[in-house]
Amino acid sequence: MDTIYIERAVKDHPQTVRIVQRYPDARKILIDRYTAVFNVNTQNFRLQKQNPALILAEKHDTKVLTAPPDYNIGGKHNYYFSHMMNCIYDCRYCFLQGMYNSANYVVFVNYQDFFDAITETTNRHTEPSWYFSGYDCDSLALEPVTLFMDACLNYFSTHAKAHLEIRTKSTQIRSLLKRDPIDNCVIAYSLTPDPIARAVEHKTPSVQKRIEALKSLSEAGWKIGLRFDPLLNAEAFKTTYQTLFDTVFDQLDTDTIHSVSTGPFRLPKPFFKKLVKLYPEEPLLADKFTQQGSLISYPVDDENDQMAWCEEQLLQHIDPDRFFPCV
Amino acid sequence: MRLVARLTAIAVDRVLRTAPTTWQPVMVSLGSVPVSVGISRYPGQALRGIIPVMLPFIVIVAALPAEATPLKTHWNLSPTGDTAYRSWHNDDMLLVESGIGKCNAAAATASALTGIINAGIAAKRIICINHGIGGGLYDLGTMVTAHAINDDATGQTWYPSLTFKPSGATATVVCVDAPASDYTADTAFDMESSGFYSAARRFVGAEFIHCFKTISDNPDHDITTINKARVIDLVQGSLASLTQSIDRLVALHATAFDTADIEAMVNTIKENMHLTRTHGHQLRRLLERHQALHGALPTTATLLDLKRASVLISTLTQQLDGSVPRY
Ligand code: SF4
């Protein structure tokens, strides 16, 4: 990280001070609001990804948002939150490339405000609420720098009515293994067949490393989740995914798996168009796509076939009550 | 500009590899403005059938004759004959002398960029630079790169995108309306940056607009002692840093995806077949998909054999919709 932008209002915030200390050689630039750097619309996400800057900011507006209707793993009240925008990984299908003008990382340092918002949201319901982290970023990838998840788990460990899903591809699990697992948290890994992951999930840990992380976490007593989302089309789709399922279930004790979900590859049309403009040479984006309402997806029949086939395969390994197709 | 020359050769070679043997590289100049390098499909008729090649084209805006002269000599630039602003050029570069102050800088920048874009140089090819003298708490002759540009009169601030790695120190450049000497740390004063930057960002991508300031006055060298000879000396002394930063910007630019070969093919088809605007867009994307899914473009002859645009589009679509990414 050779440039850190810091909002003046949080320059003395303990998280800011701690993070900045990690980068003694970085240039530090004080700014009023992160939007002055992040939202500039003539930036090129693809070029910026080569050398992203870090922006330390304060989250002012809504900190907890309602999750889309089918986004759940068994809970009735589902929400998501993001302490960070953007990701150190570079998956070619990632919607963040379509959503943001900038590839710089924004970290919101007012962690406590997120926890206060979660308390307030949880108190609105009598049943437990679920909170999905890692919607606008990868939950753990920058954890050694942010320590957000550590703070988050401290919070959730004392708020049993609030349940947390940490979604990640990162193998930065040392801090998780150091602490006692908590019952209201699931660590969920996104998994893609190895050859596809190598081609399109740039800079991510290998699928095998992710499986090993899942294994370590489950052995340490953490609830684990498997997320086959998005399902990506490929020549020999079934063989490719079959190999992935076999590899995963050969190595994990299925009794320790809290939930398994699948999801199709869908993007809002403007995001998809932006991705194509950024990466016209990308095979993944050169496939056959159709428009369903405001979304771009694989043709409906293909998508349904892929979802149904994966469901059939997965249900050979796990009970239906642990399977959640997110459509 | 050895790097630019080398990139020129690479890009021309890349287009010529898939082109008919009669096509030739050409150096093109339209009116007083160079169009850099193109490929002529009609050798001997220099202005007919030129395919522009995606290469960086560098625009430098300097305020004073003493700031422009060393650059003109260094890059061996010739006068363009432009009457509104004195300017010089070679095949890769245009140097404009704006006069003092942000209004002059804005007007000269807008005029230069409009001129070259109208002459056929795509905005995405342009790297736009403001270089000149400034005051600050740095050693005399130090070149600083603006990491923020602050218009002293309006309070507006811009943050140039530091995706490339600047050579040497970076600073907030405060653009003042009259010479100033109340120097503060990490800050340089100048009189053109905000005008230049606000104008350039209307044309050019954020990664490729930068201000470089060579320190001409500091607490030990009073602003009133600046004279023409000293300015020439200082600018000459900062040429190594300036060239290094430009080389790094050119290297970053070279990583942008270049669609010159696809453009060339679309142009050839257009000359031999009636294509509507929509057909043109569709064909461009189909060729991108072809390259992504099959690793190469189809041959021009195969496409021309299809005779009609609608047949061409439907045949290519059908063919590509039957192709699936291979991983
Ligand atoms: S890991 Fe997730 S957030 Fe990060 S780039 Fe990949 S898809 Fe996007």
Side-chain angles (χ1 to χ4, degrees), chain A residues 2 5 27 29-31 37 42-44 46-48 50-51 195-196 199 233-235 276 280-281 283-288, chain B residues 147 159-163 165-166 170 201 204-208 252 255-257 285 288-289 292-293 321 323-327:
Chain A
D2 49 39
Y5 297 94
R27 68 177 66 84
I29 304 170
L30 287 178
I31 55 176
V37 178
T42 52
Q43 297 174 96
N44 183 312
R46 179 175 180 162
L47 290 173
Q48 239 179 40
Q50 294 178 36
N51 185 24
I196 306 182
N233 194 27
E235 203 179 54
V276 167
E281 80 283 28
L284 170 76
L285 304 170
D287 208 338
K288 183 181 179 184
Chain B
H147 61 222
Y159 299 93
S161 171
L162 296 175
T163 304
K165 290 190 191 299
T170 66
R201 68 199 287 273
V204 178
E207 286 73 28
F208 297 113
L252 176 69
T255 64
F257 185 69
R285 180 61 193 141
E288 286 170 358
R289 287 182 64 198
L293 292 168
D321 282 355
S323 311
V324 176
R326 259 176 264 150
Y327 297 105

Short mmCIF file of all heavy atoms in Angstrom, two decimals, chain A residues 2 5 27 29-31 37 42-44 46-48 50-51 195-196 199 233-235 276 280-281 283-288, chain B residues 147 159-163 165-166 170 201 204-208 252 255-257 285 288-289 292-293 321 323-327:
data_model
loop_
_atom_site.label_atom_id
_atom_site.label_comp_id
_atom_site.label_asym_id
_atom_site.label_seq_id
_atom_site.Cartn_x
_atom_site.Cartn_y
_atom_site.Cartn_z
N ASP A 2 0.97 1.98 -1.10
CA ASP A 2 1.86 3.14 -1.00
C ASP A 2 1.13 4.47 -0.83
O ASP A 2 1.77 5.49 -0.64
CB ASP A 2 2.90 3.19 -2.14
CG ASP A 2 2.33 3.01 -3.50
OD1 ASP A 2 1.24 3.54 -3.78
OD2 ASP A 2 2.98 2.33 -4.31
N TYR A 5 -5.33 7.44 2.00
CA TYR A 5 -6.14 8.64 2.16
C TYR A 5 -6.87 8.51 3.50
O TYR A 5 -7.40 7.44 3.82
CB TYR A 5 -7.18 8.76 1.04
CG TYR A 5 -6.56 8.92 -0.34
CD1 TYR A 5 -6.34 7.81 -1.16
CD2 TYR A 5 -6.20 10.18 -0.82
CE1 TYR A 5 -5.77 7.95 -2.42
CE2 TYR A 5 -5.64 10.33 -2.08
CZ TYR A 5 -5.43 9.22 -2.88
OH TYR A 5 -4.88 9.36 -4.12
N ARG A 27 2.51 7.23 1.65
CA ARG A 27 2.17 8.65 1.73
C ARG A 27 0.77 8.76 2.31
O ARG A 27 -0.11 7.95 2.00
CB ARG A 27 2.29 9.34 0.37
CG ARG A 27 1.29 8.93 -0.66
CD ARG A 27 1.45 9.73 -1.95
NE ARG A 27 2.71 9.44 -2.61
CZ ARG A 27 2.91 8.40 -3.43
NH1 ARG A 27 1.93 7.57 -3.71
NH2 ARG A 27 4.08 8.20 -4.00
N ILE A 29 -2.52 11.10 2.91
CA ILE A 29 -3.17 12.28 2.34
C ILE A 29 -4.48 12.51 3.08
O ILE A 29 -5.36 11.63 3.09
CB ILE A 29 -3.43 12.09 0.83
CG1 ILE A 29 -2.10 11.75 0.11
CG2 ILE A 29 -4.10 13.30 0.23
CD1 ILE A 29 -2.27 11.31 -1.34
N LEU A 30 -4.60 13.67 3.70
CA LEU A 30 -5.84 13.97 4.43
C LEU A 30 -6.91 14.45 3.46
O LEU A 30 -6.64 15.25 2.56
CB LEU A 30 -5.59 15.04 5.50
CG LEU A 30 -4.80 14.59 6.72
CD1 LEU A 30 -4.56 15.75 7.66
CD2 LEU A 30 -5.50 13.44 7.46
N ILE A 31 -8.13 13.94 3.66
CA ILE A 31 -9.24 14.32 2.78
C ILE A 31 -10.46 14.63 3.65
O ILE A 31 -10.51 14.25 4.81
CB ILE A 31 -9.59 13.18 1.78
CG1 ILE A 31 -9.87 11.85 2.52
CG2 ILE A 31 -8.47 12.97 0.78
CD1 ILE A 31 -10.30 10.70 1.62
N VAL A 37 -12.39 10.94 -3.51
CA VAL A 37 -11.39 10.10 -4.17
C VAL A 37 -12.07 8.91 -4.84
O VAL A 37 -11.80 8.57 -5.98
CB VAL A 37 -10.36 9.57 -3.13
CG1 VAL A 37 -9.34 8.66 -3.79
CG2 VAL A 37 -9.65 10.73 -2.45
N THR A 42 -14.16 9.13 -13.76
CA THR A 42 -13.30 8.85 -14.91
C THR A 42 -12.17 7.89 -14.55
O THR A 42 -11.21 7.74 -15.30
CB THR A 42 -12.69 10.15 -15.49
OG1 THR A 42 -12.07 10.85 -14.40
CG2 THR A 42 -13.75 11.03 -16.12
N GLN A 43 -12.30 7.23 -13.39
CA GLN A 43 -11.25 6.28 -13.00
C GLN A 43 -11.42 4.97 -13.76
O GLN A 43 -12.52 4.61 -14.15
CB GLN A 43 -11.34 6.01 -11.50
CG GLN A 43 -11.09 7.26 -10.67
CD GLN A 43 -11.32 7.02 -9.19
OE1 GLN A 43 -10.39 6.75 -8.45
NE2 GLN A 43 -12.55 7.13 -8.74
N ASN A 44 -10.31 4.26 -13.93
CA ASN A 44 -10.36 2.98 -14.62
C ASN A 44 -10.08 1.87 -13.59
O ASN A 44 -8.95 1.73 -13.10
CB ASN A 44 -9.31 2.96 -15.74
CG ASN A 44 -9.34 1.68 -16.54
OD1 ASN A 44 -9.36 0.58 -15.99
ND2 ASN A 44 -9.34 1.81 -17.84
N ARG A 46 -9.81 -1.30 -13.84
CA ARG A 46 -8.83 -2.31 -14.24
C ARG A 46 -7.40 -1.82 -14.03
O ARG A 46 -6.55 -2.54 -13.51
CB ARG A 46 -9.05 -2.66 -15.72
CG ARG A 46 -8.08 -3.68 -16.25
CD ARG A 46 -8.42 -4.07 -17.67
NE ARG A 46 -7.47 -5.04 -18.17
CZ ARG A 46 -7.68 -5.82 -19.22
NH1 ARG A 46 -8.82 -5.74 -19.88
NH2 ARG A 46 -6.78 -6.68 -19.62
N LEU A 47 -7.14 -0.57 -14.42
CA LEU A 47 -5.79 -0.03 -14.24
C LEU A 47 -5.51 0.16 -12.75
O LEU A 47 -4.42 -0.16 -12.26
CB LEU A 47 -5.65 1.29 -14.98
CG LEU A 47 -5.64 1.23 -16.50
CD1 LEU A 47 -5.67 2.63 -17.09
CD2 LEU A 47 -4.41 0.49 -17.01
N GLN A 48 -6.50 0.70 -12.04
CA GLN A 48 -6.29 1.00 -10.62
C GLN A 48 -6.03 -0.25 -9.79
O GLN A 48 -5.35 -0.20 -8.78
CB GLN A 48 -7.53 1.70 -10.08
CG GLN A 48 -7.19 3.06 -9.53
CD GLN A 48 -8.38 3.80 -9.01
OE1 GLN A 48 -9.26 3.23 -8.37
NE2 GLN A 48 -8.40 5.08 -9.27
N GLN A 50 -4.09 -2.42 -10.31
CA GLN A 50 -2.65 -2.73 -10.28
C GLN A 50 -1.97 -2.13 -9.05
O GLN A 50 -0.93 -2.60 -8.63
CB GLN A 50 -1.97 -2.17 -11.53
CG GLN A 50 -2.42 -2.84 -12.80
CD GLN A 50 -1.75 -2.23 -14.02
OE1 GLN A 50 -0.59 -1.83 -13.99
NE2 GLN A 50 -2.48 -2.14 -15.11
N ASN A 51 -2.54 -1.05 -8.52
CA ASN A 51 -1.90 -0.41 -7.38
C ASN A 51 -2.94 0.38 -6.56
O ASN A 51 -2.92 1.60 -6.53
CB ASN A 51 -0.79 0.54 -7.88
CG ASN A 51 0.00 1.16 -6.75
OD1 ASN A 51 0.07 0.60 -5.65
ND2 ASN A 51 0.58 2.32 -6.98
N PRO A 195 -10.04 -25.51 -11.97
CA PRO A 195 -9.58 -24.88 -13.22
C PRO A 195 -10.24 -23.52 -13.48
O PRO A 195 -9.61 -22.61 -14.02
CB PRO A 195 -9.99 -25.88 -14.32
CG PRO A 195 -10.62 -27.04 -13.65
CD PRO A 195 -10.69 -26.80 -12.19
N ILE A 196 -11.49 -23.39 -13.06
CA ILE A 196 -12.17 -22.09 -13.26
C ILE A 196 -11.59 -21.06 -12.29
O ILE A 196 -11.32 -19.91 -12.67
CB ILE A 196 -13.70 -22.22 -13.07
CG1 ILE A 196 -14.27 -23.31 -13.97
CG2 ILE A 196 -14.38 -20.88 -13.33
CD1 ILE A 196 -15.78 -23.49 -13.91
N ALA A 199 -8.47 -19.62 -13.45
CA ALA A 199 -8.61 -18.73 -14.61
C ALA A 199 -9.27 -17.40 -14.27
O ALA A 199 -8.95 -16.38 -14.88
CB ALA A 199 -9.40 -19.43 -15.71
N ASN A 233 -20.56 -21.27 -15.91
CA ASN A 233 -20.66 -22.17 -17.05
C ASN A 233 -19.27 -22.53 -17.58
O ASN A 233 -18.36 -21.70 -17.54
CB ASN A 233 -21.47 -21.48 -18.16
CG ASN A 233 -21.92 -22.44 -19.21
OD1 ASN A 233 -22.08 -23.64 -18.94
ND2 ASN A 233 -22.11 -21.96 -20.42
N ALA A 234 -19.14 -23.73 -18.03
CA ALA A 234 -17.85 -24.16 -18.60
C ALA A 234 -18.11 -25.36 -19.48
O ALA A 234 -19.13 -26.05 -19.32
CB ALA A 234 -16.89 -24.56 -17.49
N GLU A 235 -17.17 -25.58 -20.39
CA GLU A 235 -17.24 -26.82 -21.17
C GLU A 235 -17.12 -27.96 -20.14
O GLU A 235 -16.34 -27.84 -19.19
CB GLU A 235 -16.05 -26.84 -22.13
CG GLU A 235 -16.28 -27.72 -23.33
CD GLU A 235 -15.08 -27.68 -24.26
OE1 GLU A 235 -13.96 -27.94 -23.78
OE2 GLU A 235 -15.26 -27.39 -25.43
N VAL A 276 -17.77 -5.93 -19.14
CA VAL A 276 -17.38 -6.25 -20.52
C VAL A 276 -16.47 -5.16 -21.07
O VAL A 276 -15.48 -5.44 -21.75
CB VAL A 276 -18.63 -6.43 -21.41
CG1 VAL A 276 -18.26 -6.43 -22.88
CG2 VAL A 276 -19.36 -7.71 -21.04
N PRO A 280 -12.90 -6.84 -22.23
CA PRO A 280 -13.55 -7.37 -23.43
C PRO A 280 -12.98 -8.73 -23.85
O PRO A 280 -13.63 -9.48 -24.55
CB PRO A 280 -13.26 -6.31 -24.50
CG PRO A 280 -12.17 -5.47 -23.96
CD PRO A 280 -12.19 -5.58 -22.48
N GLU A 281 -11.76 -9.03 -23.39
CA GLU A 281 -11.08 -10.25 -23.83
C GLU A 281 -11.32 -11.43 -22.88
O GLU A 281 -10.69 -12.47 -23.01
CB GLU A 281 -9.58 -9.97 -23.97
CG GLU A 281 -8.75 -9.97 -22.69
CD GLU A 281 -8.89 -8.71 -21.83
OE1 GLU A 281 -9.95 -8.04 -21.87
OE2 GLU A 281 -7.94 -8.42 -21.08
N PRO A 283 -12.93 -14.63 -21.44
CA PRO A 283 -13.82 -15.71 -21.91
C PRO A 283 -15.10 -15.86 -21.07
O PRO A 283 -16.18 -16.06 -21.62
CB PRO A 283 -12.95 -16.97 -21.81
CG PRO A 283 -11.54 -16.47 -21.88
CD PRO A 283 -11.55 -15.12 -21.24
N LEU A 284 -14.97 -15.73 -19.74
CA LEU A 284 -16.14 -15.86 -18.88
C LEU A 284 -17.28 -14.93 -19.31
O LEU A 284 -18.46 -15.30 -19.31
CB LEU A 284 -15.74 -15.54 -17.43
CG LEU A 284 -16.85 -15.39 -16.39
CD1 LEU A 284 -17.41 -16.73 -16.00
CD2 LEU A 284 -16.34 -14.67 -15.15
N LEU A 285 -16.90 -13.71 -19.71
CA LEU A 285 -17.91 -12.70 -20.07
C LEU A 285 -18.32 -12.80 -21.54
O LEU A 285 -19.23 -12.11 -21.99
CB LEU A 285 -17.39 -11.29 -19.77
CG LEU A 285 -16.93 -11.05 -18.33
CD1 LEU A 285 -16.22 -9.72 -18.20
CD2 LEU A 285 -18.12 -11.11 -17.37
N ALA A 286 -17.61 -13.65 -22.29
CA ALA A 286 -17.91 -13.79 -23.73
C ALA A 286 -18.90 -14.92 -23.97
O ALA A 286 -19.24 -15.23 -25.10
CB ALA A 286 -16.61 -14.05 -24.50
N ASP A 287 -19.34 -15.56 -22.90
CA ASP A 287 -20.31 -16.66 -23.01
C ASP A 287 -21.66 -16.12 -23.48
O ASP A 287 -21.84 -14.91 -23.64
CB ASP A 287 -20.44 -17.29 -21.61
CG ASP A 287 -20.82 -18.75 -21.67
OD1 ASP A 287 -21.37 -19.17 -22.71
OD2 ASP A 287 -20.58 -19.47 -20.69
N LYS A 288 -22.61 -17.04 -23.67
CA LYS A 288 -23.95 -16.61 -24.08
C LYS A 288 -24.72 -16.14 -22.84
O LYS A 288 -24.85 -16.88 -21.87
CB LYS A 288 -24.67 -17.80 -24.72
CG LYS A 288 -26.03 -17.48 -25.25
CD LYS A 288 -26.67 -18.72 -25.84
CE LYS A 288 -28.06 -18.41 -26.36
NZ LYS A 288 -28.73 -19.60 -26.86
N HIS B 147 -0.25 15.12 -5.29
CA HIS B 147 -1.18 14.06 -4.86
C HIS B 147 -2.55 14.68 -4.55
O HIS B 147 -3.54 13.97 -4.39
CB HIS B 147 -0.64 13.22 -3.70
CG HIS B 147 -0.35 13.95 -2.43
ND1 HIS B 147 0.77 13.73 -1.68
CD2 HIS B 147 -1.03 14.91 -1.76
CE1 HIS B 147 0.77 14.50 -0.61
NE2 HIS B 147 -0.32 15.23 -0.64
N TYR B 159 -7.98 14.98 -6.41
CA TYR B 159 -6.95 14.02 -6.00
C TYR B 159 -6.52 13.20 -7.21
O TYR B 159 -7.21 12.24 -7.57
CB TYR B 159 -7.50 13.11 -4.89
CG TYR B 159 -7.89 13.89 -3.67
CD1 TYR B 159 -9.20 14.34 -3.49
CD2 TYR B 159 -6.94 14.24 -2.71
CE1 TYR B 159 -9.56 15.11 -2.39
CE2 TYR B 159 -7.29 15.00 -1.61
CZ TYR B 159 -8.60 15.44 -1.46
OH TYR B 159 -8.95 16.20 -0.36
N PRO B 160 -5.42 13.56 -7.85
CA PRO B 160 -4.96 12.77 -9.00
C PRO B 160 -4.76 11.30 -8.59
O PRO B 160 -4.33 11.02 -7.47
CB PRO B 160 -3.63 13.43 -9.37
CG PRO B 160 -3.73 14.81 -8.84
CD PRO B 160 -4.54 14.70 -7.58
N SER B 161 -5.09 10.39 -9.49
CA SER B 161 -5.02 8.97 -9.19
C SER B 161 -3.57 8.50 -9.27
O SER B 161 -2.96 8.52 -10.34
CB SER B 161 -5.88 8.22 -10.21
OG SER B 161 -5.68 6.85 -10.09
N LEU B 162 -3.04 8.06 -8.13
CA LEU B 162 -1.62 7.67 -8.10
C LEU B 162 -1.46 6.18 -8.38
O LEU B 162 -0.81 5.45 -7.63
CB LEU B 162 -0.99 8.06 -6.76
CG LEU B 162 -0.96 9.57 -6.50
CD1 LEU B 162 -0.43 9.87 -5.12
CD2 LEU B 162 -0.11 10.29 -7.55
N THR B 163 -2.05 5.72 -9.46
CA THR B 163 -1.92 4.32 -9.84
C THR B 163 -0.50 4.05 -10.31
O THR B 163 0.06 2.99 -10.06
CB THR B 163 -2.92 3.98 -10.95
OG1 THR B 163 -4.23 4.32 -10.49
CG2 THR B 163 -2.90 2.50 -11.30
N LYS B 165 3.61 4.85 -10.17
CA LYS B 165 4.47 5.19 -9.04
C LYS B 165 5.26 6.44 -9.40
O LYS B 165 6.19 6.38 -10.22
CB LYS B 165 5.41 4.04 -8.71
CG LYS B 165 4.67 2.85 -8.10
CD LYS B 165 5.63 1.82 -7.55
CE LYS B 165 4.94 0.52 -7.17
NZ LYS B 165 3.92 0.61 -6.15
N PRO B 166 4.90 7.60 -8.80
CA PRO B 166 5.60 8.83 -9.16
C PRO B 166 7.07 8.77 -8.77
O PRO B 166 7.43 8.09 -7.81
CB PRO B 166 4.89 9.91 -8.35
CG PRO B 166 3.70 9.28 -7.75
CD PRO B 166 3.91 7.81 -7.75
N THR B 170 5.73 13.48 -3.27
CA THR B 170 4.43 13.99 -3.72
C THR B 170 3.99 15.07 -2.73
O THR B 170 4.44 15.09 -1.59
CB THR B 170 3.37 12.88 -3.78
OG1 THR B 170 3.11 12.41 -2.47
CG2 THR B 170 3.80 11.73 -4.68
N ARG B 201 -9.62 16.85 -16.96
CA ARG B 201 -10.45 15.73 -16.51
C ARG B 201 -11.74 15.60 -17.31
O ARG B 201 -12.42 14.60 -17.22
CB ARG B 201 -10.70 15.80 -15.00
CG ARG B 201 -11.59 16.95 -14.57
CD ARG B 201 -11.39 17.21 -13.09
NE ARG B 201 -11.99 16.19 -12.27
CZ ARG B 201 -13.26 16.21 -11.86
NH1 ARG B 201 -14.06 17.19 -12.21
NH2 ARG B 201 -13.73 15.25 -11.10
N VAL B 204 -9.80 13.35 -20.34
CA VAL B 204 -8.83 12.26 -20.20
C VAL B 204 -9.11 11.46 -18.91
O VAL B 204 -9.59 12.02 -17.92
CB VAL B 204 -7.39 12.86 -20.16
CG1 VAL B 204 -6.34 11.79 -19.96
CG2 VAL B 204 -7.11 13.63 -21.44
N GLY B 205 -8.81 10.18 -18.93
CA GLY B 205 -9.02 9.31 -17.77
C GLY B 205 -8.17 9.75 -16.58
O GLY B 205 -7.06 10.25 -16.74
N ALA B 206 -8.73 9.54 -15.36
CA ALA B 206 -8.10 10.05 -14.14
C ALA B 206 -6.68 9.55 -13.92
O ALA B 206 -5.85 10.25 -13.34
CB ALA B 206 -8.96 9.67 -12.94
N GLU B 207 -6.37 8.36 -14.40
CA GLU B 207 -5.02 7.80 -14.15
C GLU B 207 -3.94 8.54 -14.94
O GLU B 207 -2.76 8.43 -14.63
CB GLU B 207 -4.97 6.31 -14.54
CG GLU B 207 -5.69 5.40 -13.58
CD GLU B 207 -7.19 5.51 -13.69
OE1 GLU B 207 -7.69 5.86 -14.79
OE2 GLU B 207 -7.88 5.28 -12.68
N PHE B 208 -4.37 9.27 -15.96
CA PHE B 208 -3.39 9.84 -16.89
C PHE B 208 -3.37 11.37 -16.92
O PHE B 208 -3.00 11.97 -17.92
CB PHE B 208 -3.63 9.26 -18.29
CG PHE B 208 -3.43 7.77 -18.32
CD1 PHE B 208 -4.49 6.91 -18.54
CD2 PHE B 208 -2.18 7.23 -18.06
CE1 PHE B 208 -4.31 5.53 -18.52
CE2 PHE B 208 -1.98 5.86 -18.04
CZ PHE B 208 -3.05 5.01 -18.27
N LEU B 252 2.17 2.15 -17.67
CA LEU B 252 0.82 1.86 -17.15
C LEU B 252 -0.18 1.86 -18.31
O LEU B 252 -1.03 0.98 -18.40
CB LEU B 252 0.43 2.92 -16.11
CG LEU B 252 -0.99 2.81 -15.55
CD1 LEU B 252 -1.14 1.57 -14.68
CD2 LEU B 252 -1.37 4.06 -14.73
N THR B 255 -0.68 -1.20 -20.36
CA THR B 255 -1.40 -2.35 -19.81
C THR B 255 -2.91 -2.27 -20.08
O THR B 255 -3.64 -3.19 -19.77
CB THR B 255 -1.19 -2.47 -18.28
OG1 THR B 255 -1.75 -1.31 -17.65
CG2 THR B 255 0.27 -2.61 -17.91
N ALA B 256 -3.36 -1.15 -20.64
CA ALA B 256 -4.79 -1.04 -20.99
C ALA B 256 -5.06 -1.94 -22.19
O ALA B 256 -4.19 -2.12 -23.05
CB ALA B 256 -5.13 0.40 -21.33
N PHE B 257 -6.23 -2.52 -22.25
CA PHE B 257 -6.52 -3.44 -23.34
C PHE B 257 -6.65 -2.67 -24.65
O PHE B 257 -7.33 -1.66 -24.74
CB PHE B 257 -7.81 -4.21 -23.04
CG PHE B 257 -8.10 -5.26 -24.08
CD1 PHE B 257 -7.29 -6.38 -24.17
CD2 PHE B 257 -9.13 -5.12 -24.98
CE1 PHE B 257 -7.52 -7.35 -25.14
CE2 PHE B 257 -9.39 -6.08 -25.94
CZ PHE B 257 -8.57 -7.20 -26.02
N ARG B 285 -18.40 -6.31 -30.68
CA ARG B 285 -18.51 -7.20 -29.51
C ARG B 285 -18.39 -8.67 -29.92
O ARG B 285 -17.77 -9.47 -29.20
CB ARG B 285 -19.84 -6.94 -28.77
CG ARG B 285 -20.05 -7.80 -27.55
CD ARG B 285 -18.97 -7.59 -26.48
NE ARG B 285 -18.98 -8.61 -25.43
CZ ARG B 285 -17.89 -9.15 -24.87
NH1 ARG B 285 -16.69 -8.77 -25.22
NH2 ARG B 285 -18.01 -10.06 -23.94
N GLU B 288 -14.80 -9.37 -30.31
CA GLU B 288 -14.18 -9.51 -28.98
C GLU B 288 -14.48 -10.90 -28.40
O GLU B 288 -13.60 -11.56 -27.85
CB GLU B 288 -14.72 -8.45 -28.01
CG GLU B 288 -14.19 -7.05 -28.27
CD GLU B 288 -14.92 -5.97 -27.46
OE1 GLU B 288 -15.87 -6.31 -26.70
OE2 GLU B 288 -14.55 -4.80 -27.60
N ARG B 289 -15.73 -11.32 -28.52
CA ARG B 289 -16.12 -12.64 -27.99
C ARG B 289 -15.36 -13.74 -28.72
O ARG B 289 -14.92 -14.72 -28.11
CB ARG B 289 -17.64 -12.86 -28.15
CG ARG B 289 -18.48 -12.04 -27.19
CD ARG B 289 -19.96 -12.34 -27.39
NE ARG B 289 -20.31 -13.72 -27.07
CZ ARG B 289 -21.42 -14.32 -27.48
NH1 ARG B 289 -22.31 -13.67 -28.21
NH2 ARG B 289 -21.65 -15.58 -27.17
N ALA B 292 -11.96 -13.87 -27.40
CA ALA B 292 -11.95 -14.40 -26.03
C ALA B 292 -12.18 -15.91 -26.01
O ALA B 292 -11.50 -16.64 -25.29
CB ALA B 292 -13.02 -13.70 -25.20
N LEU B 293 -13.12 -16.38 -26.82
CA LEU B 293 -13.49 -17.80 -26.74
C LEU B 293 -12.61 -18.69 -27.61
O LEU B 293 -12.43 -19.87 -27.31
CB LEU B 293 -14.96 -17.98 -27.13
CG LEU B 293 -15.98 -17.39 -26.14
CD1 LEU B 293 -17.37 -17.36 -26.74
CD2 LEU B 293 -15.99 -18.20 -24.83
N ASP B 321 -22.60 -18.33 -29.73
CA ASP B 321 -23.53 -18.80 -28.70
C ASP B 321 -23.39 -20.30 -28.47
O ASP B 321 -23.78 -20.82 -27.42
CB ASP B 321 -24.98 -18.44 -29.06
CG ASP B 321 -25.27 -16.97 -28.78
OD1 ASP B 321 -24.38 -16.29 -28.23
OD2 ASP B 321 -26.37 -16.50 -29.12
N SER B 323 -20.45 -21.67 -28.41
CA SER B 323 -19.12 -21.90 -27.81
C SER B 323 -19.19 -21.64 -26.31
O SER B 323 -19.86 -20.71 -25.87
CB SER B 323 -18.10 -20.93 -28.41
OG SER B 323 -18.18 -20.94 -29.80
N VAL B 324 -18.48 -22.42 -25.56
CA VAL B 324 -18.50 -22.30 -24.09
C VAL B 324 -17.05 -22.09 -23.64
O VAL B 324 -16.14 -22.67 -24.24
CB VAL B 324 -19.08 -23.60 -23.48
CG1 VAL B 324 -19.03 -23.57 -21.97
CG2 VAL B 324 -20.50 -23.83 -23.96
N PRO B 325 -16.83 -21.26 -22.61
CA PRO B 325 -15.45 -21.08 -22.15
C PRO B 325 -14.81 -22.41 -21.75
O PRO B 325 -15.46 -23.25 -21.13
CB PRO B 325 -15.58 -20.16 -20.94
CG PRO B 325 -16.91 -19.52 -21.05
CD PRO B 325 -17.78 -20.46 -21.83
N ARG B 326 -13.56 -22.55 -22.13
CA ARG B 326 -12.80 -23.76 -21.76
C ARG B 326 -11.79 -23.37 -20.69
O ARG B 326 -11.07 -22.39 -20.85
CB ARG B 326 -12.04 -24.28 -23.00
CG ARG B 326 -12.73 -25.46 -23.64
CD ARG B 326 -11.99 -25.86 -24.90
NE ARG B 326 -12.61 -25.24 -26.05
CZ ARG B 326 -11.96 -24.90 -27.16
NH1 ARG B 326 -10.67 -25.08 -27.26
NH2 ARG B 326 -12.61 -24.38 -28.18
N TYR B 327 -11.76 -24.12 -19.60
CA TYR B 327 -10.80 -23.77 -18.53
C TYR B 327 -9.81 -24.90 -18.34
O TYR B 327 -10.12 -26.04 -18.56
CB TYR B 327 -11.55 -23.50 -17.22
CG TYR B 327 -12.48 -22.30 -17.31
CD1 TYR B 327 -13.85 -22.47 -17.39
CD2 TYR B 327 -11.97 -21.01 -17.35
CE1 TYR B 327 -14.70 -21.37 -17.47
CE2 TYR B 327 -12.81 -19.90 -17.44
CZ TYR B 327 -14.18 -20.10 -17.50
OH TYR B 327 -15.02 -19.01 -17.59
#
